[in-house]
Amino acid sequence: MRLRNVPGAREMIIESPFSIQEPERLKGHWSGEFGNHHPIHIEVGMGKGKFILEMAKRNPKINYIGIEKYSSVLVRAVEKTEDFEGNNLRLIRMDAENIQDIFDEQEVSRIYLNFSDPWPKDRHAKRRLTSARFFERYQHILKSDGRVIFKTDNRELFDFSLEQVKEAGWILENYTYDLHHSEYNEGNVMTEYEEKFSAKGNPICRLTAYRH
Ligand code: SAM
């Protein structure tokens, strides 16, 4: 998702107390940034931030970090934080390819991937956030008992992701092809894309994986 250039987006992002500039300086020091040792959960490709903001409101004892590639999208998340009074949310504009530059070994307890871009062409498969290549990156930053949780309505991408979990040597804890009618739906927070696609009648797939 790349939105039209939003005038003033960069300034708004820089001025927001929730957005982090030069996140590399916080590698290994995120607890210091939050002022506590609560677990850190991140969403990679958070889009306009509905999910992560709601999660931060519901779970004040978890620190949330949202990562988004484009300022034109991130600014929509920043706008949503206007009335948010918690201190457990940070937003970063960056490409997740470089995620190891901003988190140290085992610094993250959970990684959410919600409705990640499918990159349908085979030659772009490595760009998928659920490719084995990305799982290798997640392996470095995730705690040994951490989890990756992936939701999508794209069945092809989901089946690819199930395979990639195994290919990366990870373990599939559970999965469903119809989250909203499954035992895993309790407490589910819907993302912007999830609302859009489930309203069209698309079943939502979800998997949870952990590393060896
Ligand atoms: N997670 C949101 C949701 O479920 O409503 C947004 C889904 S949208 C289809 C995918 C988002 O991931 C886009 O905003 C896109 O810019 C972002 N994205 C894709 N690849 C990324 C990457 N390598 N690093 C950071 N963000 C990325």
Side-chain angles (χ1 to χ4, degrees):
M1 170 167 48
R2 194 172 186 170
L3 302 179
R4 251 181 302 134
N5 191 34
V6 180
R10 277 180 201 282
E11 292 73 13
M12 206 186 286
I13 291 169
I14 288 169
E15 281 164 22
S16 166
F18 294 100
S19 96
I20 298 286
Q21 315 307 312
E22 297 168 22
E24 296 82 4
R25 72 191 155 82
L26 292 175
K27 179 173 177 169
H29 305 290
W30 283 100
S31 297
E33 165 64 19
F34 286 105
N36 58 53
H37 285 89
H38 297 163
I40 293 173
H41 293 188
I42 69 174
E43 184 184 7
V44 180
M46 75 168 163
K48 297 180 191 168
K50 176 182 179 292
F51 171 84
I52 199 147
L53 182 61
E54 180 58 29
M55 293 296 277
K57 285 180 183 165
R58 287 191 190 188
N59 307 296
K61 296 225 161 146
I62 295 174
N63 295 325
Y64 289 93
I65 301 173
I67 294 172
E68 168 54 47
K69 196 167 171 180
Y70 296 112
S71 334
S72 59
V73 184
L74 180 78
V75 72
R76 298 302 178 210
V78 166
E79 284 169 351
K80 287 195 180 75
T81 60
E82 223 160 73
D83 301 326
F84 179 63
E85 291 180 347
N87 178 40
N88 62 330
L89 176 66
R90 299 291 186 276
L91 307 173
I92 300 173
R93 195 211 59 74
M94 69 173 284
D95 190 325
E97 296 242 345
N98 306 318
I99 203 154
Q100 286 166 253
D101 295 346
I102 67 160
F103 295 113
D104 216 344
E105 296 263 329
Q106 308 229 4
E107 202 167 16
V108 172
S109 294
R110 190 173 290 184
I111 300 175
Y112 290 104
L113 306 170
N114 291 321
F115 296 80
S116 309
D117 293 336
W119 293 106
K121 290 183 183 148
D122 282 349
R123 67 189 157 91
H124 290 150
K126 282 185 179 171
R127 296 186 192 173
R128 297 174 195 150
L129 295 179
T130 52
S131 63
R133 198 163 145 258
F134 268 97
F135 275 106
E136 267 173 43
R137 296 185 174 115
Y138 305 148
Q139 176 108 16
H140 285 283
I141 64 167
L142 200 62
K143 283 191 188 302
S144 33
D145 61 350
R147 297 287 185 274
V148 167
I149 302 180
F150 170 54
K151 289 196 279 194
T152 184
D153 69 319
N154 184 320
R155 183 64 188 261
E156 252 176 69
L157 177 64
F158 191 68
D159 287 338
F160 166 85
S161 307
L162 288 172
E163 279 170 22
Q164 294 292 292
V165 166
K166 284 184 208 135
E167 168 119 8
W170 284 48
I171 299 158
L172 206 52
E173 184 169 55
N174 57 56
Y175 66 96
T176 170
Y177 289 109
D178 191 359
L179 172 65
H180 295 175
H181 300 101
S182 78
E183 59 184 302
Y184 306 113
N185 196 43
E186 205 188 317
N188 180 50
V189 170
M190 293 229 259
T191 77
E192 255 127 4
Y193 271 64
E194 188 170 355
E195 280 188 342
K196 193 164 93 181
F197 291 123
S198 60
K200 284 185 184 172
N202 297 5
I204 305 302
C205 307
R206 193 188 85 160
L207 70 80
T208 301
Y210 59 96
R211 42 172 290 204
H212 269 295

